[in-house]
Amino acid sequence: MPASRPPVTSARFRQLCGRFATGVVVITTSDAGGEPAGMTANSFTSVSLDPPLISVNIDRAADFHGAIVAASTFVINVLESQQEEVSRRFAGPATQRFDGIGYRQTGEGAIVLDGVVAAIECELETSFDVGDHTIVVGRVVGGMTHDARPLLYFRGGYHTLS
């Protein structure tokens, strides 16, 4: 019988996962009152090519959780290397996230931030709870790209490609 291992602490889990370099995105949508809502994340991945699906993982305790699970559309805004301040802003207090941040709304009401490397427009496909997060799956319905270097996150800090 294998020896019992102690549980992995939250701190150790963060340390382990922090060794995986990720891009930085801001997920945007409109809340129930039609106001823009968004949050910084690095838990974004492609799921399927046919149909084109992506997923994001949202902590159920996050103030953005209610907006994303109720949304019919949302956008994954892939941040450009010079947008560290945007990332920090959307990781901060919800009441000030869009202050001074340029964005536009598409005809479908999706919120696209200015200056991003890519904006991936999605319709909510499904969502389900796992652990303390909700996995939100979106069907990609449009988007745009811009040739620029992405903002990266590694070992608890921001980085760029050289």
Side-chain angles (χ1 to χ4, degrees), residues 62-156:
D63 54 42
F64 183 70
H65 184 268
I68 189 73
V69 297
S72 59
T73 63
F74 61 93
V75 177
I76 305 297
N77 295 274
V78 181
L79 297 187
E80 193 266 337
S81 64
Q82 300 301 308
Q83 292 183 306
E84 180 179 333
E85 177 54 36
V86 173
S87 174
R88 291 183 185 282
R89 171 75 64 87
F90 280 86
T95 58
Q96 300 174 3
R97 289 185 180 152
F98 283 87
D99 290 355
I101 301 292
Y103 66 93
R104 66 178 175 81
Q105 283 192 286
T106 67
E108 294 76 29
I111 298 169
V112 177
L113 300 181
D114 291 348
V116 295
V117 173
I120 305 166
E121 297 176 39
C122 302
E123 291 179 349
L124 182 65
E125 181 80 8
T126 191
S127 65
F128 49 96
D129 293 340
V130 178
D132 59 0
H133 280 59
T134 298
I135 298 174
V136 176
V137 179
R139 180 180 295 256
V140 177
V141 295
M144 55 71 64
T145 61
H146 174 72
D147 286 333
R149 295 185 189 280
L151 182 62
L152 303 176
Y153 198 75
F154 178 69
R155 292 182 65 183

Side-chain angles (χ1 to χ4, degrees), residues 1-9 12 16:
M1 182 122 184
S4 174
R5 292 184 180 188
V8 175
T9 65
R12 180 67 176 149
L16 292 167

Side-chain angles (χ1 to χ4, degrees), residues 10-82:
S10 294
R12 180 67 176 149
F13 183 65
R14 283 179 180 263
Q15 183 183 48
L16 292 167
C17 292
R19 296 308 195 265
F20 181 69
T22 66
V24 182
V25 302
V26 169
I27 307 162
T28 54
T29 192
S30 295
D31 67 15
E35 294 297 315
M39 70 168 269
T40 299
N42 66 356
S43 59
F44 151 73
T45 190
S46 62
V47 173
S48 169
L49 289 175
D50 188 19
L53 300 173
I54 59 88
S55 70
V56 293
N57 305 322
I58 310 295
D59 187 330
R60 286 197 304 275
D63 54 42
F64 183 70
H65 184 268
I68 189 73
V69 297
S72 59
T73 63
F74 61 93
V75 177
I76 305 297
N77 295 274
V78 181
L79 297 187
E80 193 266 337
S81 64
Q82 300 301 308

